[in-house]
Amino acid sequence: MTQRIGDRSTLAIELGSPDDGSPDLRTVDVYADGRWLTCDDNVVYLPQFIGSLNDDLDWAVSPVGDKRDSPPFPDRSPVENHHEMLRLANDDNDLHLFHRFMDWGPTADNVSVHLFRIDGLAYLPFSFWRESHHDAGELGPVYCARLSVDDLRLTLHRAAWTLMWDWYADRKDRGR
């Protein structure tokens, strides 16, 4: 049974059932702006994945007024900022990494995502880059999910919390 946290049209994390063979693996699907982001690899290694969710939750709850509250190029849209940050990634990797979102290991390594918080809204511009992407029509365009910062925080928190407790209960039931 799948548990959906959030909304696919903005940001959703869908938690599948734990893997019967290993309590450390679980199917997790992520959607943003109606697009399936974990299409290449949706089986997560829970100890790493939960930590990665927590890192992004930390990022999302950092104080208002932090330099994350505005895109690095304020005269440009979130989509244009995403383009520019990808273009500059090799030259100014610190800037790219500072705004990078969803650095969740193999599960999300087919998509580049940045996070910009602007006036209480979270903008998640993203693009797919892998040539073997399941929908060739999604290669090239930049998509942008928009949701309240509170909804972003709540989605990340609920997903991390649910995964952690389910993982703990499953390991406990197996005597580990």
Side-chain angles (χ1 to χ4, degrees):
M1 184 166 105
T2 300
Q3 178 182 359
R4 180 179 299 157
I5 299 167
D7 185 318
R8 282 185 176 188
S9 68
T10 55
L11 178 68
I13 301 175
E14 296 183 2
L15 312 176
S17 300
D19 188 289
D20 290 335
S22 171
D24 293 338
L25 301 177
R26 186 162 181 174
T27 300
V28 175
D29 286 302
V30 180
Y31 293 84
D33 195 32
R35 305 281 190 272
W36 182 28
L37 304 186
T38 53
C39 51
D40 282 2
D41 181 0
N42 65 348
V43 177
V44 303
Y45 176 64
L46 289 168
Q48 173 272 322
F49 189 77
I50 293 166
S52 294
L53 281 177
N54 188 60
D55 288 346
D56 275 353
L57 180 58
D58 261 1
W59 198 108
V61 299
S62 63
V64 172
D66 184 272
K67 63 182 174 179
R68 292 181 172 131
D69 286 326
S70 62
F73 309 101
D75 57 324
R76 299 181 189 173
S77 72
V79 166
E80 291 168 327
N81 268 270
H82 178 75
H83 273 294
E84 188 65 13
M85 306 237 333
L86 291 178
R87 190 181 73 72
L88 293 173
N90 291 330
D91 298 331
D92 188 352
N93 204 33
D94 288 343
L95 184 62
H96 163 70
L97 293 176
F98 185 75
H99 289 279
R100 187 175 178 191
F101 184 74
M102 258 184 75
D103 184 15
W104 297 348
T107 303
D109 68 2
N110 64 314
V111 63
S112 296
V113 186
H114 290 101
L115 169 60
F116 307 116
R117 300 182 314 191
I118 305 168
D119 298 326
L121 294 175
Y123 292 86
L124 301 170
F126 63 94
S127 54
F128 298 100
W129 61 267
R130 191 170 282 156
E131 289 183 26
S132 62
H133 185 64
H134 78 282
D135 181 348
E138 289 182 340
L139 290 172
V142 174
Y143 304 96
C144 190
R146 186 182 101 171
L147 65 160
S148 74
V149 171
D150 287 341
D151 286 344
L152 172 66
R153 292 170 178 157
L154 191 58
T155 299
L156 294 172
H157 173 75
R158 285 184 175 162
W161 193 253
T162 300
L163 287 170
M164 177 58 85
W165 280 108
D166 287 356
W167 180 59
Y168 171 78
D170 192 42
R171 292 183 63 81
K172 186 177 171 191
D173 289 346
R174 293 176 192 232
R176 293 182 178 198

